[in-house]
Amino acid sequence: MDKKHLLVVEDDKGLQSQLRWAFEDFEVAIAGDREEAIAHLRRFEPGVVLLDLGLPPDPGGVTEGMATLTEILSLSPDTKIVVVTGDNDRANAVRAIGLGAYDFYQKPVDPQLLGLIIDRAYRVHELERDNRRFSRIEDKMPLNGIIATSPQMLKVCRTVEKVAPTNATTLLLGASGTGKERFARALHDLSQRAKGKMIAINCAAIPANLLESELFGYEKGAFTGATQTTPGKIEYADGGTLFLDEIGDLPLELQAKLLRFLQERVVERVGGRKEIPVDVRIVCATHQDLSTHISDGRFREDLYYRISELVINIPPLRDRDGDALVLATVFLDRFAKEMGRNIKGFDEQARRAIETHHWPGNVRELESRVKRAVILSDSINVSAEDLELEEVDFEDAPFNLKQVREEVERKAIRRALSHCKDNISDTATLLGITRPTLYNLMEKYQLKP
């Protein structure tokens, strides 16, 4: 774990000694004047500075202390400064807050109370630092428009990069809200058709009696209200990409016509006889199980094989290690800027709630909750209550490598014992260790066959 650095700027030798040992959880650096304070600031980059405003050569005033405050913030604006003032000197404390100090404390020093203020300041510094780090992730996304850092999603992104330059008809599979249209856009943008149009149509959102004319177009007089010849979406996508979202909802009668287009690459408008050649790349998406639809006779098997030359499975948000918090932080930063809200990040409970929530609505649900929280939050940090997330019971996942290693070893031994039906010799062989070593490990982790 990173060391917690605290810089104490105080010229009183007695107070220096007292404060050096008052903060057990911090590595404390002591400075007696502005020059020494700035040198320590550059060297240690402390998260919090405890600054006495009465510094030499003006120990009776606050001129040098205020100048030190200003210089520290100019060099390290993210550092939290707690200023220490004399008794009944509230005016200068308020002035220091106006210049950018985080908080103030009036002498005489109460180590316990001052410790609480310093701990709180450092925690805010950590939260803001983490949120800045997550916000910068947006500039290092694996694909344009795709926010992801998990191994599961990085694998999907690498697949998209390989598939995009080809003309293969691609099927995107994933639950609602996982970002299938964004991946369709990435496939288009990375292809040789990027300068052409990407035309999207949702097969579930258009009534079946209108979907044919939307896809294939119609000739003048083909039906009542057809006052002019109108090309369909497929023709409009000529030279580009056609994205058929929710392909599982395509009516059976249109599936045959789409299959013929995929085979022949020509369309016939409704009411027309002329075959019109179209050069277009097809990308389809659905959240449904097409194999079940095929078994039930609701989807043509031959069409399935045509649209699934390449299949890309997009995992739900709950299966993307760490992505929920990354996404939430990016969304929060975006909405806070759009709405002009002074919101810095999530508090600890909110972060834990985000990490443990099941997210049945996936990224769409997460985005909606964060947007609502930014609107409703009364604090600089969004809470779990703002997100309207219920408290979830869970074990803290350890960050200490020794703890992580021990937990992995414990689980591996349990699994091997179960696999070998508690046979010690077979378990040791399966784990690649000797029997004495296995006995020692079982004793260490209090495991019994």
Side-chain angles (χ1 to χ4, degrees):
M1 183 179 290
D2 292 340
K3 292 181 180 179
K4 297 164 60 176
H5 289 286
L6 169 66
L7 172 59
V8 175
V9 187
E10 169 62 63
D11 65 320
D12 185 301
K13 297 294 184 181
L15 266 179
Q16 283 183 1
S17 178
Q18 180 183 354
L19 292 172
R20 182 186 294 277
W21 307 111
F23 306 102
E24 296 180 356
D25 295 335
F26 290 85
E27 184 169 314
V28 180
I30 302 291
D33 54 37
R34 181 176 13 159
E35 183 179 355
E36 192 176 3
I38 298 304
H40 283 321
L41 180 76
R42 296 181 188 278
R43 181 181 177 186
F44 296 109
E45 298 181 349
V48 179
V49 173
L50 181 62
L51 172 64
D52 186 353
L53 291 180
L55 293 177
D58 183 25
V62 297
T63 305
E64 187 66 9
M66 291 295 185
T68 304
L69 168 68
T70 303
E71 188 169 354
I72 289 174
L73 288 175
S74 68
L75 293 171
S76 181
D78 301 322
T79 298
K80 301 302 173 189
I81 301 179
V82 177
V83 297
V84 179
T85 65
D87 192 20
N88 299 320
D89 194 12
R90 188 177 182 84
N92 283 321
V94 172
R95 182 182 162 202
I97 298 294
L99 290 173
Y102 169 76
D103 205 345
F104 71 93
Y105 179 83
Q106 290 180 310
K107 295 179 180 178
V109 171
D110 178 341
Q112 186 175 5
L113 179 57
L114 185 56
L116 291 174
I117 294 174
I118 295 299
D119 284 340
R120 185 180 63 182
Y122 195 87
R123 185 63 188 137
V124 171
H125 167 74
E126 282 186 321
L127 286 170
E128 292 182 2
R129 180 193 62 193
D130 290 346
N131 283 303
R132 283 192 302 274
R133 185 176 72 249
F134 282 126
S135 295
R136 287 194 293 269
I137 291 174
E138 193 168 19
D139 299 326
K140 301 176 182 178
M141 290 297 103
L143 293 175
N144 184 34
I146 305 297
I147 302 170
T149 58
S150 65
Q152 298 89 339
M153 286 295 283
L154 292 178
K155 181 179 178 181
V156 173
C157 292
R158 298 293 83 81
T159 302
V160 168
E161 288 178 332
K162 294 176 182 177
V163 171
T166 73
N167 275 321
T169 303
T170 306
L171 176 62
L172 301 172
L173 298 177
S176 295
T178 50
K180 294 186 291 295
E181 186 164 354
R182 286 185 177 269
F183 278 102
R185 170 60 66 180
L187 283 166
H188 173 73
D189 290 343
L190 293 173
S191 73
Q192 296 177 350
R193 300 172 179 270
K195 293 182 180 179
K197 297 178 180 178
M198 175 177 153
I199 303 295
I201 186 166
N202 189 320
C203 299
I206 301 173
N209 59 330
L210 298 179
L211 188 55
E212 182 178 10
S213 57
E214 278 288 313
L215 279 172
F216 297 95
Y218 54 86
E219 296 288 345
K220 180 179 179 181
F223 48 81
T224 302
T227 57
Q228 62 182 14
T229 297
T230 303
K233 297 286 190 181
I234 295 176
E235 284 184 69
Y236 277 120
D238 188 31
T241 302
L242 177 69
F243 175 49
L244 298 174
D245 199 7
E246 299 302 346
I247 188 71
D249 290 298
L250 189 69
L252 267 174
E253 57 270 22
L254 284 186
Q255 291 179 26
K257 194 166 183 177
L258 179 62
L259 176 61
R260 180 174 181 273
F261 165 69
L262 291 174
Q263 292 171 334
E264 307 296 335
R265 297 291 168 163
V266 295
V267 296
E268 287 185 17
R269 296 175 185 151
V270 176
R273 295 292 180 267
K274 180 183 177 183
E275 292 184 342
I276 303 168
V278 180
D279 175 25
V280 65
R281 197 252 184 93
I282 305 291
V283 177
C284 303
T286 183
H287 71 283
Q288 302 183 35
D289 183 355
L290 292 184
S291 60
T292 301
H293 280 29
I294 292 170
S295 299
D296 295 342
R298 289 181 287 162
F299 202 86
R300 295 179 62 114
E301 188 173 14
D302 48 4
L303 177 59
Y304 172 76
Y305 290 118
R306 280 289 179 181
I307 65 173
S308 61
E309 292 177 344
L310 283 164
V311 177
I312 299 176
N313 286 284
I314 304 171
L317 183 56
R318 62 179 175 273
D319 293 338
R320 307 178 190 179
D321 298 339
D323 275 358
L325 190 54
V326 174
L327 282 159
T329 306
V330 172
F331 290 150
L332 182 140
D333 185 57
R334 180 194 304 166
F335 292 135
K337 287 179 181 177
E338 288 177 0
M339 301 175 192
R341 299 296 313 277
N342 182 29
I343 296 179
K344 301 297 185 182
F346 300 98
D347 67 20
E348 187 62 29
Q349 290 301 316
R351 293 161 68 89
R352 292 176 182 270
I354 290 168
E355 290 178 324
T356 56
H357 187 61
H358 195 62
W359 298 114
N362 292 291
V363 180
R364 191 177 293 125
E365 178 193 356
L366 174 61
E367 184 175 13
S368 176
R369 285 184 182 272
V370 172
K371 185 174 185 179
R372 184 169 60 243
V374 169
I375 295 171
L376 298 177
S377 179
D378 295 322
S379 174
I380 62 170
N381 288 311
V382 167
S383 68
E385 184 179 356
D386 294 329
L387 291 166
E388 297 182 4
L389 293 177
E390 296 181 1
E391 292 186 10
V392 179
D393 292 329
F394 64 95
E395 294 183 9
D396 284 340
F399 287 100
N400 182 281
L401 285 178
K402 183 173 181 289
Q403 290 178 269
V404 173
R405 184 169 59 250
E406 289 178 350
E407 185 62 26
V408 171
E409 284 183 348
R410 182 183 292 108
K411 288 181 179 179
I413 294 170
R414 282 177 178 163
R415 183 164 172 255
L417 283 167
S418 176
H419 186 82
C420 297
K421 299 180 180 180
D422 292 335
N423 184 294
I424 298 297
S425 296
D426 291 347
T427 300
T429 301
L430 185 62
L431 291 170
I433 57 179
T434 64
R435 287 182 61 183
T437 300
L438 176 58
Y439 278 120
N440 289 336
L441 288 172
M442 290 173 64
E443 183 179 355
K444 174 183 178 181
Y445 298 128
Q446 298 181 337
L447 298 174
K448 296 180 180 180

